[in-house]
Amino acid sequence: MRPALRPLVATAATVLLLAACSPMLPERPGPARYPAAPSRTEAPLVGALIDQPIDGGTRAAVIRESAQLQQCMAQLTAARVTFRPVPDRVNSATCGLTAGGVLGPDMGTVARMTPGDIEMTCRTALALSIWRRQSLEPAARDILGSDVVQIDHFGAYACRNVNNGGVSNRVSAHARAEALDFSGVRLRDGRRITVTANWTGDSPEARFLRRIRDDACRVFGTVLGPDYNAVHGDHLHLEATDTRFCR
């Protein structure tokens, strides 16, 4: 190597060595080009429907929020209601289940459904969850002075016509798991309130049952009870469909 070039080569080598040993400076972040899209699966819904008081728009909101299964399940999940979806099925020409699943415990409340793990449409589960949190449980505290610990019912899915066959050939909403038959409650203080025993009169128990019936009419599409006919003398038929009939 020519003597004149040696100092230049040595300087260049020193610069390269220092660069290799020095930590790399962090890259300066540039502006985000596309903001992340919000997702219902990433965070709970704020002000979920189940936690909002019943009003004149509740029934329409139930229909709207249950139009898609995933949307309906997001509402249930946000309120800590256990719901396990099941595949759609056709049991007969008139019976089956679409956009449904198994309703388990509501982890946001104390009361438990008996029997538990009820198969129904997600729309029915959403309407039922609103009704129990915003009507049934607070009404028991206000009127009866005790918490509900158990909600009794006769089931949701049943492949049959209305009135259990009777004289009608019209298919029941139960044939599609779109309704639940509520029969009564058990309270923390030991009392049992039933539609059969407590509907008539002006007792606190009767006023409790009539209040939750009236509230149900603003949540469900069709509500039938003892005032409708004798077949419903022991329960409230709560039907989560796009209908409007309350008796």
Side-chain angles (χ1 to χ4, degrees):
M1 181 180 294
R2 295 169 56 185
L5 294 178
R6 286 177 184 168
L8 294 176
V9 174
T11 301
T14 302
V15 170
L16 291 174
L17 181 61
L18 290 173
C21 295
S22 300
M24 295 184 64
L25 294 175
E27 197 173 283
R28 181 175 297 175
R33 295 179 60 190
Y34 303 104
S39 171
R40 288 188 171 187
T41 60
E42 294 172 359
L45 296 174
V46 177
L49 183 58
I50 294 172
D51 291 319
Q52 296 178 11
I54 296 170
D55 59 26
T58 300
R59 178 180 161 277
V62 169
I63 299 298
R64 181 184 68 247
E65 290 298 319
S66 60
Q68 300 293 330
L69 179 59
Q70 292 301 320
Q71 184 179 11
C72 179
M73 288 180 58
Q75 287 285 351
L76 294 170
T77 300
R80 299 173 64 205
V81 176
T82 308
F83 187 79
R84 185 176 72 255
V86 299
D88 292 353
R89 68 169 187 269
V90 176
N91 294 342
S92 72
T94 57
C95 301
L97 180 64
T98 301
V102 177
L103 177 65
D106 181 340
M107 304 310 293
T109 65
V110 174
R112 294 293 177 256
M113 304 287 293
T114 302
D117 293 338
I118 324 148
E119 196 171 53
M120 61 180 66
T121 64
C122 189
R123 175 172 291 170
T124 305
L126 179 58
L128 183 63
S129 298
I130 296 169
W131 178 67
R132 63 176 290 179
R133 279 207 198 177
Q134 301 301 324
S135 175
L136 184 145
E137 294 183 13
R141 289 191 291 269
D142 292 346
I143 299 175
L144 303 174
S146 185
D147 287 325
V148 174
V149 295
Q150 182 173 305
I151 301 171
D152 298 323
H153 65 91
F154 296 144
Y157 176 77
C159 186
R160 60 174 175 81
N161 292 340
V162 298
N163 295 336
N164 287 315
V167 296
S168 174
N169 292 321
R170 187 161 53 90
V171 178
S172 170
H174 289 288
R176 301 178 299 275
E178 294 177 328
L180 179 102
D181 287 343
F182 162 86
S183 60
V185 298
R186 298 170 191 264
L187 304 180
R188 188 181 300 280
D189 62 14
R191 282 178 291 168
R192 184 184 181 194
I193 315 301
T194 67
V195 175
T196 302
N198 303 112
W199 181 261
T200 59
D202 192 37
S203 65
E205 292 79 7
R207 285 187 278 113
F208 161 74
L209 290 172
R210 290 181 182 277
R211 179 192 287 189
I212 65 174
R213 188 276 309 270
D214 293 346
D215 286 341
C217 293
R218 298 192 293 167
V219 179
F220 296 87
T222 295
V223 177
L224 306 174
D227 291 345
Y228 179 59
N229 61 18
V231 174
H232 296 84
D234 60 354
H235 69 277
L236 297 179
H237 171 88
L238 308 173
E239 183 176 323
T241 52
D242 191 9
T243 53
R244 181 161 294 192
F245 188 79
C246 179
R247 183 74 180 276

